[in-house]
Amino acid sequence: MVDIKEKKLIKSWEFTTSSLSWGGGAGWTGQPVIVKWPDKVKKIMNIKEKFKNKKDFVEVIYGSLDGKIYFFDLESGELSRKPISIKNPIKGSVSIDPRGYPLLYVGQGIPETGKIGYRIFNLINGKLLYFINGIDSIAFRKWGAFDGSALINRNTDTFILGGENGLFYFVKLNTNFDINKGTIKINPKLIKYRYKIKNNNFQGIENSVAAYRNVAYFADNGGSIQAIDLTTLSPIWALEKSDDIDATITLEIDNGIPYLYSGTEVDKQGKNGMSIIRKLNGLNGKIVWKKEYRCLSVKGKHPINGGMFATNVIGKKEIKNIVIFTLARYKNFNSSLMVALDKKTGKEIWRWEMKNYSWSSPVDIYSKNGKAYIIQCDSKGYMYLIKGKTGKIVDKIDLKFNIESSPAVYTNYAVIATRGDKIYCVKIT
């Protein structure tokens, strides 16, 4: 819950990162983690003493295009510990262990130096514990990036992950955490799932995996969506190709049935095509409803695609009947569309035709009285505060540079990075 009274966005602090070949700050998807550590765990980590002793210390963890993972005190913006450097641009989002264990999971976006792959770090001392090499001889695709986030199961000590090499990973961590000794060890056992879908030669998985009970869901660069039984690592169903799906599938349970929401880019279609939004029955893959919106892309040596890059919002509380999507390059190359659709029918409830395009995912927040607001950022560097029920803009703040990454919100603070080598904290009042 957020205590929203004035409906204003106010810059609280900013931080300037360094820069590599892709710059600094963060790009797509680039969402931070915001965490309040258990007191006992906080005491054994390499956090600065002043923050170990701070009663309400909340830490922001942000992976940057400059190849570093930064740690901040949410309130002040001061570095809370020494950054971890992987010396390669990080495009995706970091994950932490939901058990409160001092483990950090991070994928690499670009191979600037050394190997490309996925890493797990010990947050007691900042040391690397495990590395998955993205260049794998069994993979159909020889590209080793990981933009998706790991999905960790606290009950089974496992995590699942999709790679841009087209492999799906199931990892048993075998974690041994001794909080009294201040040590943590893992002994991962890795299982890989390789697949091919008829007429689809694009196996790369750029989105984060969704899951319900024993079933995992992911989409790939060819636009196929799959359901996998995690107990057998075998496919349950798969949709045929459409167009590139990079945005993460979202999932909602209704009367015991998992429903999935997903949308495509305009990539394989060329310069002009349809971004396809679908609601699926997660048990069988059947389409409940489908919407299509015409979007634009630039092809060539440096392609810039339109369509859906942003993960959608499944509404709650006063907007529990709607799902909200943001589509890039709708109608015009530099514009976007934010659209709220009825969950049951797909009918439009409201729309906002944005002046600037956006790859950034919207984030839903709720006031103490149940009112819904959406935070949406765009390519010109604006962050907007929007009424979730109507789509009306109530405030905006100019952060100067393209925002491809997605904000994370903790109480009244939203943290976001730009392509202008900056990380910002914005207070919602």
Side-chain angles (χ1 to χ4, degrees):
M1 297 293 180
V2 179
D3 188 14
I4 301 176
K5 296 178 180 178
E6 299 176 346
K7 303 182 182 68
K8 294 291 183 182
L9 299 173
I10 301 170
K11 187 171 70 174
S12 180
W13 55 260
E14 66 179 73
F15 175 84
T16 303
T17 68
S18 59
S19 183
L20 290 179
S21 61
W22 277 56
W28 187 89
T29 55
Q31 189 175 47
V33 162
I34 305 177
V35 55
K36 186 173 183 180
W37 295 103
D39 285 340
K40 287 186 177 181
V41 176
K42 181 176 65 172
K43 294 291 185 182
I44 65 171
M45 292 192 291
N46 61 349
I47 296 170
K48 293 178 181 178
E49 286 299 321
K50 64 183 292 186
F51 297 121
K52 285 185 180 182
N53 298 319
K54 184 177 179 179
K55 181 180 178 182
D56 294 317
F57 171 67
V58 176
E59 191 167 45
V60 177
I61 307 174
Y62 218 136
S64 173
L65 287 170
D66 72 356
K68 295 178 182 177
I69 303 161
Y70 292 97
F71 302 84
F72 304 96
D73 170 40
L74 174 63
E75 186 178 44
S76 68
E78 183 180 340
L79 286 172
S80 52
R81 56 176 116 183
K82 183 180 178 180
I84 295 172
S85 177
I86 71 167
K87 300 180 181 179
N88 291 281
I90 301 165
K91 285 171 60 252
S93 305
V94 298
S95 304
I96 57 166
D97 199 289
R99 297 168 288 189
Y101 290 0
L103 292 173
L104 176 71
Y105 306 77
V106 60
Q108 179 184 336
I110 305 297
E112 192 161 286
T113 61
K115 295 179 179 179
I116 182 169
Y118 200 86
R119 294 168 172 84
I120 303 176
F121 285 95
N122 177 345
L123 285 184
I124 295 173
N125 55 23
K127 301 295 185 181
L128 179 67
L129 289 176
Y130 187 61
F131 177 76
I132 299 173
N133 194 335
I135 305 300
D136 195 307
S137 61
I138 75 165
F140 291 126
R141 189 181 181 203
K142 305 306 176 187
W143 175 242
F146 290 86
D147 277 357
S149 298
L151 184 60
I152 301 109
N153 188 325
R154 69 173 72 213
N155 297 316
T156 60
D157 191 32
T158 58
F159 78 88
I160 53 178
L161 175 71
E164 289 188 51
N165 55 15
L167 297 177
F168 175 86
Y169 296 86
F170 181 92
V171 184
K172 176 69 174 177
L173 287 164
N174 296 305
T175 308
N176 184 348
F177 177 39
D178 190 326
I179 195 167
N180 294 318
K181 292 182 179 179
T183 62
I184 190 162
K185 299 177 182 178
I186 58 174
N187 183 26
K189 302 301 179 185
L190 178 65
I191 302 174
K192 306 169 190 176
Y193 167 82
R194 185 179 71 170
Y195 71 93
K196 267 193 176 181
I197 294 175
K198 186 178 180 180
N199 299 321
N200 179 5
N201 295 319
F202 302 95
Q203 286 88 17
I205 306 165
E206 291 194 50
N207 45 65
S208 301
V209 178
Y212 173 65
R213 293 185 175 175
N214 66 307
V215 183
Y217 304 94
F218 66 84
D220 65 22
N221 293 145
S224 297
I225 298 175
Q226 282 192 66
I228 298 176
D229 187 332
L230 292 174
T231 61
T232 60
L233 283 187
S234 59
I236 299 171
W237 56 260
L239 295 192
E240 62 183 17
K241 69 176 183 179
S242 51
D243 204 337
D244 193 354
I245 301 177
D246 284 351
T248 294
I249 294 168
T250 59
L251 186 154
E252 183 178 43
I253 309 303
D254 187 4
N255 291 322
I257 298 174
Y259 289 101
L260 314 178
Y261 297 95
S262 180
T264 70
E265 299 171 23
V266 173
D267 183 358
K268 310 297 186 293
Q269 299 171 73
K271 297 180 180 180
N272 190 318
M274 292 301 206
S275 178
I276 305 167
I277 295 173
R278 291 176 288 192
K279 179 179 181 178
L280 306 173
N281 183 319
L283 298 179
N284 53 32
K286 291 185 177 180
I287 297 173
V288 179
W289 50 255
K290 179 174 73 173
K291 302 281 286 186
E292 296 185 357
Y293 295 90
R294 187 167 297 281
C295 297
L296 307 175
S297 288
V298 168
K299 312 311 290 183
K301 186 177 180 180
H302 300 290
I304 307 174
N305 293 337
M308 185 169 153
F309 282 83
T311 298
N312 61 277
V313 164
I314 295 177
K316 298 174 279 293
K317 299 186 182 294
E318 72 165 353
I319 58 169
K320 64 182 180 181
N321 64 313
I322 67 175
V323 57
I324 299 171
F325 297 85
T326 303
L327 306 178
R329 309 196 188 285
Y330 172 74
K331 284 190 176 179
N332 300 299
F333 183 70
N334 289 317
S335 59
S336 270
L337 173 69
M338 175 178 270
V339 61
L341 305 177
D342 183 275
K343 287 182 181 177
K344 293 191 180 298
T345 66
K347 180 181 177 181
E348 283 196 20
I349 304 297
W350 57 257
R351 61 161 50 198
W352 171 36
E353 295 192 14
M354 301 168 62
K355 183 179 179 181
N356 306 310
Y357 84 86
S358 179
W359 286 359
S360 178
S361 299
V363 174
D364 52 329
I365 57 177
Y366 300 87
S367 65
K368 292 182 178 180
N369 61 1
K371 298 294 182 183
Y373 296 87
I374 306 296
I375 292 180
Q376 177 68 61
C377 302
D378 71 19
S379 57
K380 289 294 184 181
Y382 289 102
M383 175 185 281
Y384 295 89
L385 184 65
I386 303 160
K387 285 188 176 181
K389 198 168 184 178
T390 63
K392 180 182 177 182
I393 299 169
V394 293
D395 198 25
K396 68 177 181 179
I397 186 171
D398 186 2
L399 301 179
K400 306 300 181 184
F401 289 93
N402 182 7
I403 303 172
E404 294 177 354
S405 59
S406 302
V409 177
Y410 186 96
T411 61
N412 282 69
Y413 295 98
V415 181
I416 190 71
T418 75
R419 290 302 300 266
D421 303 349
K422 293 284 190 179
I423 297 172
Y424 292 97
C425 179
V426 175
K427 191 169 185 180
I428 309 159
T429 64

